[in-house]
Amino acid sequence: MSSKPFKPSRLSQSTSSDEGLKPPLPPTVTFGRRTSSGRYISYSRDDLDSEIGSNDFMNYTVHLPPTPDNQPMDPSISQKVEEQYVSSSLFTGGFNSATRAHLMDKVIESEANHPQMAGAKGSSCAIPGCDSKVMSDERGEDILPCECDFKICRDCYIDAVKTGDGMCPGCKEPYKNTELDEVAMDDGNGRPLPLPPSSGVSKMERRLSLMKSTKSALMRSQTGDFDHNRWLFETKGTYGYGNAIWPKGGNFGNGEEDDVVEPTELMNRPWRPLTRKLKIPAAVLSPYRLIIFIRMVVLVLFLAWRVKHQNTDAIWLWGMSVVCEIWFAFSWLLDQLPKLCPINRATDLNVLKEKFEMPSPNNPTGKSDLPGIDIFVSTADPEKEPPLVTANTILSILAADYPVEKLSCYVSDDGGALLTFEAMAEAASFANVWVPFCRKHNIEPRNPESYFNLKRDPYKNKVKQDFVKDRRRVKREYDEFKVRINGLPDSIRRRSDAFHAREEIKAMKLQRQNKEDEPVDPVKIPKATWMADGTHWPGTWLNPSPDHSRGDHAGIIQVMLKPPSDEPLLGNADDTKLIDLTDVDIRLPLLVYVSREKRPGYDHNKKAGAMNALVRASAIMSNGPFILNLDCDHYIYNSKAMMEGMCFMMDRGGDRICYVQFPQRFEGIDPSDRYANHNTVFFDVNMRALDGLQGPVYVGTGCLFRRVALYGFDPPRSKERHPGCCSCCFGSRKKNANISEENLELRIGDSDEEEMNLALFPKKFGNSTFLIDSIPVAEYQGRPLADHPAVKNGRPPGALTIPRELLDASTVAEAISVISCWYEDKTEWGQRVGWIYGSVTEDVVTGYRMHNRGWKSVYCVTKRDAFRGTAPINLTDRLHQVLRWATGSVEIFFSRNNALLASPRMKFLQRIAYLNVGIYPFTSIFLIVYCFLPALSLFSGQFIVQTLNVTFLAYLLTITVTLCMLAVLEIKWSGIELEEWWRNEQFWLIGGTSAHLAAVLQGLLKVIAGIEISFTLTSKSGGDDVDDEFADLYIVKWTSLMIPPITIMMVNLIAIAVGVSRTIYSVIPQWSRLLGGVFFSFWVLTHLYPFAKGLMGRRGRTPTIVFVWSGLIAITISLLWVAINPPAGTNQIGGSFQFP
């Protein structure tokens, strides 16, 4: 494997710089840009800093005249070969190290068989002594510049042109440039590759070449180049105001405002929305709101009655019960008020296709005009998150029904494991078969593991004759793929041992040569982990060592699948192929492996830090205006899910939507859903209700983001205040509210008083000019389509049909720099920009910050589930998961993200919902006390009220009946089942008496004592019993979280026995007090029944003696209590009864 470092050289010296605005950067981190002639012009990071920190921007061009030593290669060929070089190179770098591109001969042991894949097979150069690969096209076929078909690589071709007078080494005839152009056109299906622009056109201007400004004087800088920074941040009215207008005839960018008109044909054409709201029927919603109001009134009257009527016989019991009941009423109110305005939504994919993918006057070719999407998949530990699960998720993404050239997938491996790297490479290789198979036969779902394990008939609705044959062949390939993935750990270990033994032998031979007569000491060489091409893995080694451990390794970027061609690449009936791919698009989306740099002494901020690293790297490499983030175990179940989410983003007013949240659906849950893993009450009731306010909360996965919202910008038209109605809005109507600097965030040109200082942008986003320049591009490309005058802040049709930039080495080198551990120092990443740090539930905080700035979010419930994942069905794992969520909520409550401190832009009921997120764990304190009250009542012979009179029973009956009626109506408008609602109620008490209490204690320790909280990943692997898919359900793993529920159960069981014994043996039995205590004890035990069932393990495996002894112990303790505290009026148990 060869290695090409980017060595430092200074190209320019800035005339002025602001040293106080930029963080100190290591001078040894260097970058380089590759020219069209194949040279690397390198420059240090200080040059970038000085240019960013300077207030005076100057453009200059250095012209190198053609000389015998400088003969530019044909541009169409050079760009393709440059991208091929990038996709075959492993880029590494970071703090105090140079950025290097390691050219890899192969990525995996098996043969790469797709032309887009890294290390794809190809012919070798025919020049003696050269083993480089021949230039190839999108299909992997050789590009041969001479008629004699002499195979020659890029470097040898350049040498032949420079030193051999342009003579072919094979036939000794001169090369013909016209033939090279024809080859390039043939490779692009008759469409030439985009040529490099003239020196006066910048890279950013080409991306926005279809945009026309009505303020040409402000849009052009003194050099004539397009000034995007002034366009986005300084001009008034270009972000968030007005409609998109464009010149006649589609002649953009001529700088003449007289030709700019508003197309009149749009005024006469009826506008079709992409989405619509489906309101809940009034016959359901009106009674629902009425019962909520009635229950509120009854609760107030009941609490007032309870306060007035004290139980003087047991004032302590009465006091504890009243305090708990007041808190329960308050907690119920926080949970219920945001549910007043539930709605449903629907999308129209036919309209989306008609607007964005059909031929039109502005898009005559019918190419997709949809914006790009960058999909993030995060994983951290291949032992707890099996690579096969992650690989299936990647395959479902690569096969998604979205324009291939607009889709990019980034895999974040926070563990830096070679196992994950090679598993992703194997997935990219298998995608060559799986993705075309899915497109040919319209397969659903497009996760091979889930598809081949479907219980239903796989041949239903399949019309092509060769489906059975194709499915059988692909199934066999997938089985072999699984064997390769599962064998990777042993393969890597054996390979590393073999290479290590070879290195030791070499070292011993060298030592013997140097010390012929002296005794030879044993040679100690660090045991490295080796890649398939025989080089050291730059990430984490199996045997950790300095610079190669989980918290100490270089940043790594590998383009697994290079960007696809702009035009469809149709397959053919090749006998060597596994299946017939005639008229099937065989292109694959861009796939990039990313492992951010980690060094000791840096806080890497867990998943939030990994997500922010992906945001920066993707902005430089693909810059999709929208980002979809998925956990490694959540795959795309509905291939059109992204199209449905895009309906909301591209609809009228969609520019104010920060994210589209999809519900989480789970597989592998036991049929009874013992521990409420489906969580349907939250996803189908609470989230639908929030959708009627300012939008659902962000829940960590299955969320489609607007990139500029993640950057911390305010929404367009954020100064406008629309009057709210009823309880749905309650938003502030003040136009001149006093907003603190914390809430100003990064407003974009809404007011002349709040102009942005461009010199501060390095402080906010870091010193990458590539990253800063990409911001206005992402904002513009994410605008809705201005196909009607009512659409504000739109873009003209056809603006996104241009091909995207090809990857070059300098772009990937810049991406390496932005994932380094020091990049976020003294910036606002994690504070106001990107995923927010400081909480184990970074998802909720990130969504809260967006809503706090005035953004809206949308809940997209598709007819076919959009995504599916796995959830822990084991009791211990489930409790630990709930503990992590509750701890994050406690952290939110004690931070500046508390909803009580929200800005006026957040609606009142939305603020109530976020307040409930931070408060609900504290209910556990009162819940545990209340669960012990029935036992205390039975032990003491007293009750929470003086007597069970009619008033108390009437209040209790009304509160219970209204609660049941609300549950029935919620089931009616949300579509959940009664059993799911009851399971949620049961686990609310189980979690409230265990994990929530521990979360409150941990949160208080962090706030008071500063003790940090650490959590481990939830294991995604199955149980040891391969014959039972629910084996994990029966595994009993002890945890201290089980102590409170077990104590509550035992105490209540004993109390029931004590109460019954006391009443039976009393002279004057107090049956009313017994019934009250026993009723509430049974209420507690009924809720804890799933917990008790989990402690028993698998049915039939619990010895009978356990139940016998439990009963004997309970009876013995009960009799002892009666003996110690006998009933009043007697000195012995049961009158004349005595122990033998």
Side-chain angles (χ1 to χ4, degrees):
M1 183 181 73
S2 59
S3 175
K4 295 186 177 182
F6 295 91
K7 298 185 181 298
S9 65
R10 185 170 297 278
L11 293 182
S12 64
Q13 182 66 36
S14 174
T15 56
S16 63
S17 62
D18 190 349
E19 295 295 331
L21 296 177
K22 60 182 181 180
L25 299 174
T28 57
V29 180
T30 55
F31 309 88
R33 179 176 296 279
R34 190 165 188 166
T35 64
S36 60
S37 62
R39 292 186 171 188
Y40 280 100
I41 297 179
S42 305
Y43 47 89
S44 69
R45 194 54 182 264
D46 294 335
D47 300 320
L48 297 179
D49 300 341
S50 61
E51 291 176 9
I52 296 175
S54 173
N55 293 325
D56 299 323
F57 293 86
M58 296 187 301
N59 296 329
Y60 61 89
T61 305
V62 178
H63 295 278
L64 298 178
T67 63
D69 189 48
N70 179 34
Q71 292 290 333
M73 188 179 178
D74 180 31
S76 60
I77 301 294
S78 64
Q79 288 185 358
K80 293 167 61 180
V81 176
E82 170 77 5
E83 191 170 59
Q84 185 178 353
Y85 162 79
V86 169
S87 65
S88 299
S89 299
L90 180 73
F91 286 78
T92 61
F95 185 72
N96 282 337
S97 61
T99 301
R100 296 178 178 272
H102 307 272
L103 189 60
M104 302 184 67
D105 297 329
K106 60 178 181 177
V107 180
I108 52 178
E109 297 286 353
S110 57
E111 195 175 59
N113 51 9
H114 194 279
Q116 286 180 240
M117 186 177 173
K121 63 180 180 179
S123 303
S124 298
C125 180
I127 299 295
C130 179
D131 59 352
S132 299
K133 297 292 180 63
V134 175
M135 300 176 289
S136 61
D137 61 6
E138 289 85 354
R139 294 182 181 271
E141 299 175 359
D142 296 338
I143 298 176
L144 305 176
C146 185
E147 290 179 345
C148 69
D149 292 343
F150 182 80
K151 296 182 179 180
I152 187 171
C153 67
R154 173 188 178 279
D155 294 332
C156 292
Y157 171 74
I158 294 176
D159 293 338
V161 172
K162 291 180 179 179
T163 61
D165 297 329
M167 303 292 288
C168 174
C171 63
K172 307 303 180 183
E173 294 291 332
Y175 286 118
K176 297 179 181 179
N177 291 333
T178 55
E179 294 177 5
L180 289 177
D181 296 336
E182 291 172 1
V183 171
M185 293 189 66
D186 292 339
D187 296 336
N189 293 328
R191 187 172 182 269
L193 291 171
L195 299 178
S198 61
S199 59
V201 182
S202 65
K203 187 174 182 179
M204 287 297 121
E205 185 172 356
R206 294 200 304 276
R207 295 185 182 181
L208 284 175
S209 58
L210 297 183
M211 187 181 65
K212 169 68 183 177
S213 170
T214 58
K215 298 186 177 183
S216 58
L218 291 176
M219 300 300 283
R220 299 285 169 179
S221 64
Q222 295 179 354
T223 60
D225 285 340
F226 191 87
D227 194 340
H228 300 284
N229 291 317
R230 297 187 68 185
W231 161 72
L232 182 58
F233 303 116
E234 294 183 7
T235 57
K236 182 178 181 181
T238 56
Y239 186 100
Y241 293 91
N243 303 323
I245 53 179
W246 50 92
K248 295 179 179 178
N251 184 19
F252 297 96
N254 57 9
E256 302 194 14
E257 300 180 8
D258 296 336
D259 295 336
V260 177
V261 296
E262 193 170 276
T264 57
E265 62 270 15
L266 294 181
M267 300 291 293
N268 302 323
R269 187 174 65 182
W271 181 76
R272 300 175 64 189
L274 296 172
T275 63
R276 54 196 174 94
K277 290 183 180 180
L278 303 177
K279 294 186 177 180
I280 307 298
V284 175
L285 193 58
S286 296
Y288 181 72
R289 291 172 175 170
L290 178 62
I291 294 174
I292 291 176
F293 177 75
I294 292 175
R295 194 166 195 267
M296 289 171 55
V297 173
V298 171
L299 281 175
V300 171
L301 295 176
F302 171 70
L303 293 175
W305 181 86
R306 290 278 283 122
V307 171
K308 292 180 180 178
H309 296 77
Q310 301 179 4
N311 183 2
T312 55
D313 295 337
I315 195 69
W316 55 275
L317 196 64
W318 168 85
M320 288 192 297
S321 63
V322 168
V323 170
C324 293
E325 288 162 1
I326 292 174
W327 179 265
F328 292 151
F330 172 69
S331 178
W332 175 84
L333 198 61
L334 292 182
D335 181 67
Q336 201 66 47
L337 284 179
K339 297 180 183 179
L340 290 174
C341 306
I343 61 169
N344 292 319
R345 298 182 187 269
T347 59
D348 195 333
L349 295 180
N350 293 327
V351 177
L352 183 75
K353 184 175 182 180
E354 178 184 331
K355 289 186 177 183
F356 290 90
E357 297 186 320
M358 298 296 288
S360 64
N362 294 286
N363 184 15
T365 61
K367 289 184 59 178
S368 176
D369 198 23
L370 287 169
I373 297 180
D374 294 339
I375 304 180
F376 296 169
V377 179
S378 58
T379 181
D381 188 348
E383 294 183 0
K384 293 188 176 182
E385 298 168 331
L388 183 61
V389 174
T390 307
N392 275 278
T393 299
I394 299 302
L395 290 168
S396 72
I397 293 171
L398 297 179
D401 190 0
Y402 199 81
V404 183
E405 67 276 10
K406 303 295 182 70
L407 201 60
S408 303
C409 179
Y410 294 83
V411 182
S412 171
D413 178 17
D414 226 24
L418 180 59
L419 175 58
T420 305
F421 177 85
E422 295 198 0
M424 296 306 99
E426 288 285 358
S429 179
F430 179 68
N432 183 41
V433 176
W434 174 251
V435 174
F437 170 70
C438 292
R439 292 172 182 163
K440 179 181 179 180
H441 297 290
N442 195 24
I443 299 299
E444 292 286 356
R446 299 190 176 182
N447 175 324
E449 183 70 20
S450 298
Y451 171 71
F452 289 121
N453 289 331
L454 286 176
K455 300 292 192 295
R456 58 179 174 82
D457 182 13
Y459 309 108
K460 186 178 181 180
N461 299 327
K462 302 302 179 186
V463 296
K464 293 189 177 182
Q465 297 294 329
D466 56 352
F467 171 72
V468 176
K469 179 184 65 177
D470 290 350
R471 185 181 186 275
R472 187 182 302 116
R473 292 181 175 179
V474 174
K475 177 66 166 62
R476 184 176 64 251
E477 284 291 315
Y478 177 65
D479 290 338
E480 295 177 359
F481 165 74
K482 287 203 296 184
V483 171
R484 291 197 301 271
I485 292 287
N486 293 329
L488 278 177
D490 291 336
S491 175
I492 295 172
R493 190 175 296 107
R494 288 196 306 267
R495 180 203 311 153
S496 299
D497 291 342
F499 279 113
H500 179 69
R502 187 191 66 178
E503 292 297 310
E504 284 186 335
I505 293 173
K506 286 183 179 180
M508 290 177 65
K509 287 181 179 180
L510 183 62
Q511 189 179 34
R512 287 170 182 168
Q513 291 175 0
N514 296 334
K515 302 179 180 180
E516 297 180 355
D517 300 329
E518 299 179 7
V520 179
D521 296 329
V523 180
K524 293 183 179 180
I525 300 177
K527 193 171 184 180
T529 300
W530 295 74
M531 292 189 288
D533 67 338
T535 56
H536 285 182
W537 168 242
T540 303
W541 288 354
L542 296 177
N543 298 296
S545 65
D547 294 332
H548 294 285
S549 61
R550 289 184 62 87
D552 183 13
H553 61 80
I556 308 170
I557 292 181
Q558 170 70 61
V559 181
M560 293 290 186
L561 292 171
K562 67 181 181 181
S565 57
D566 188 49
E567 295 290 337
L569 193 63
L570 302 181
N572 48 44
D574 189 351
D575 293 337
T576 62
K577 298 291 185 181
L578 189 69
I579 58 178
D580 183 7
L581 298 178
T582 304
D583 297 331
V584 178
D585 191 356
I586 63 173
R587 294 176 301 164
L588 299 176
L590 172 67
L591 175 62
V592 182
Y593 171 90
V594 179
S595 181
R596 59 179 173 146
E597 183 192 19
K598 287 189 172 182
R599 299 299 179 193
Y602 284 86
D603 186 1
H604 301 292
N605 296 296
K606 302 182 178 65
K607 180 182 176 180
M611 289 293 99
N612 285 339
L614 286 186
V615 170
R616 298 190 295 270
S618 63
I620 291 171
M621 298 183 68
S622 56
N623 198 29
F626 297 99
I627 294 172
L628 173 67
N629 86 292
L630 296 172
D631 288 344
C632 65
D633 61 328
H634 272 72
Y635 68 92
I636 297 178
Y637 187 75
N638 181 356
S639 62
K640 295 184 180 295
M642 287 176 286
M643 302 288 278
E644 301 227 22
M646 203 53 64
C647 287
F648 294 101
M649 294 294 192
M650 294 292 102
D651 206 6
R652 182 171 60 182
D655 57 333
R656 291 180 55 83
I657 296 176
C658 57
Y659 60 82
V660 176
Q661 177 66 62
F662 294 86
Q664 290 186 22
R665 306 301 187 197
F666 302 101
E667 294 178 334
I669 306 297
D670 55 296
S672 63
D673 192 13
R674 180 184 294 176
Y675 306 123
N677 288 99
H678 285 299
N679 214 358
T680 51
V681 173
F682 174 76
F683 287 113
D684 289 325
V685 178
N686 297 65
M687 296 287 271
R688 288 177 193 262
L690 290 176
D691 199 16
L693 305 177
Q694 202 170 337
V697 298
Y698 167 43
V699 294
T701 184
C703 189
L704 182 67
F705 282 99
R706 184 178 298 275
R707 185 180 285 270
V708 293
L710 277 173
Y711 285 154
F713 292 105
D714 284 350
R717 306 179 296 281
S718 60
K719 286 286 185 168
E720 298 178 5
R721 291 290 182 268
H722 300 286
C725 60
C726 300
S727 58
C728 294
C729 298
F730 293 159
S732 173
R733 304 185 187 183
K734 298 180 181 179
K735 293 187 177 181
N736 296 319
N738 295 324
I739 303 176
S740 64
E741 183 180 356
E742 172 65 23
N743 295 323
L744 283 177
E745 299 292 347
L746 302 173
R747 181 166 296 132
I748 305 178
D750 277 335
S751 172
D752 294 336
E753 300 175 359
E754 297 167 3
E755 291 185 1
M756 297 303 304
N757 186 356
L758 294 182
L760 295 178
F761 265 69
K763 182 178 179 181
K764 297 179 182 296
F765 300 104
N767 287 340
S768 173
T769 53
F770 280 53
L771 177 61
I772 294 175
D773 288 343
S774 71
I775 295 175
V777 179
E779 186 279 329
Y780 172 71
Q781 293 181 348
R783 294 182 180 185
L785 199 64
D787 58 347
H788 193 273
V791 178
K792 296 184 178 181
N793 192 39
R795 59 173 174 85
L800 301 185
T801 57
I802 56 175
R804 64 175 168 184
E805 296 287 335
L806 297 178
L807 282 179
D808 55 17
S810 63
T811 301
V812 185
E814 183 71 11
I816 281 287
S817 74
V818 299
I819 65 171
S820 60
C821 58
W822 52 264
Y823 186 83
E824 294 184 355
D825 288 353
K826 299 183 180 179
T827 67
E828 295 187 358
W829 284 98
Q831 306 302 320
R832 298 184 181 181
V833 180
W835 270 259
I836 306 302
Y837 302 154
S839 174
V840 296
T841 52
E842 72 287 333
D843 45 5
V844 177
V845 177
T846 302
Y848 166 80
R849 289 291 187 92
M850 295 181 184
H851 286 140
N852 202 32
R853 288 192 292 266
W855 289 94
K856 294 180 61 179
S857 60
V858 166
Y859 197 52
C860 180
V861 182
T862 55
K863 186 175 182 180
R864 177 184 176 87
D865 293 344
F867 310 101
R868 282 194 177 181
T870 59
I873 61 174
N874 180 263
L875 176 59
T876 303
D877 292 338
R878 176 72 165 133
L879 290 178
H880 284 157
Q881 183 186 57
V882 174
L883 172 63
R884 184 171 66 252
W885 296 342
T887 304
S889 296
V890 175
E891 290 176 339
I892 291 172
F893 181 80
F894 288 111
S895 70
R896 61 179 180 177
N897 299 309
N898 192 315
L900 295 174
L901 308 176
S903 73
R905 296 185 183 183
M906 184 176 289
K907 295 181 180 179
F908 174 73
L909 290 184
Q910 188 80 16
R911 189 179 304 201
I912 294 295
Y914 273 113
L915 183 62
N916 186 44
V917 169
I919 281 182
Y920 82 88
F922 294 94
T923 304
S924 62
I925 300 174
F926 304 92
L927 185 60
I928 286 182
V929 173
Y930 210 74
C931 287
F932 279 112
L933 286 182
L936 295 176
S937 175
L938 291 171
F939 281 137
S940 63
Q942 303 295 330
F943 195 52
I944 57 177
V945 293
Q946 191 82 28
T947 56
L948 289 176
N949 53 26
V950 176
T951 306
F952 175 77
L953 294 175
Y955 276 128
L956 191 63
L957 180 64
T958 306
I959 292 172
T960 304
V961 170
T962 52
L963 179 64
C964 294
M965 294 176 67
L966 286 176
V968 171
L969 292 175
E970 283 183 0
I971 291 170
K972 187 72 175 177
W973 62 255
S974 65
I976 65 173
E977 298 179 359
L978 180 61
E979 183 183 6
E980 294 173 329
W981 179 86
W982 172 238
R983 285 283 183 249
N984 180 80
E985 291 294 309
Q986 286 181 312
F987 197 78
W988 168 77
L989 192 140
I990 295 172
T993 55
S994 57
H996 294 178
L997 179 64
V1000 172
L1001 296 177
Q1002 289 184 346
L1004 292 174
L1005 286 175
K1006 181 178 180 181
V1007 172
I1008 298 174
I1011 300 175
E1012 288 296 329
I1013 305 165
S1014 61
F1015 290 96
T1016 56
L1017 287 172
T1018 302
S1019 177
K1020 311 290 194 295
S1021 59
D1024 297 332
D1025 192 348
V1026 295
D1027 298 328
D1028 188 354
E1029 60 178 322
F1030 307 125
D1032 270 357
L1033 183 68
Y1034 309 110
I1035 298 176
V1036 180
K1037 296 184 288 188
W1038 173 255
T1039 174
S1040 58
L1041 298 177
M1042 296 179 177
I1043 295 177
I1046 291 177
T1047 306
I1048 291 174
M1049 285 193 304
M1050 293 299 295
V1051 169
N1052 276 276
L1053 286 172
I1054 294 171
I1056 291 174
V1058 169
V1060 172
S1061 301
R1062 178 189 298 277
T1063 305
I1064 291 176
Y1065 295 118
S1066 294
V1067 178
I1068 305 176
Q1070 298 288 334
W1071 291 105
S1072 62
R1073 294 180 179 179
L1074 174 67
L1075 290 177
V1078 170
F1079 173 79
F1080 282 107
S1081 287
F1082 271 115
W1083 177 85
V1084 172
L1085 294 174
T1086 304
H1087 281 75
L1088 288 175
Y1089 173 72
F1091 177 83
K1093 202 171 181 181
L1095 292 179
M1096 295 178 186
R1098 187 183 296 272
R1099 185 178 303 169
R1101 291 189 179 181
T1102 305
T1104 307
I1105 193 65
V1106 172
F1107 300 103
V1108 174
W1109 275 107
S1110 298
L1112 290 175
I1113 292 173
I1115 294 173
T1116 302
I1117 295 177
S1118 303
L1119 293 176
L1120 285 175
W1121 178 268
V1122 175
I1124 295 171
N1125 187 13
T1130 180
N1131 294 326
Q1132 54 186 4
I1133 300 175
S1136 61
F1137 178 80
Q1138 294 181 353
F1139 280 113

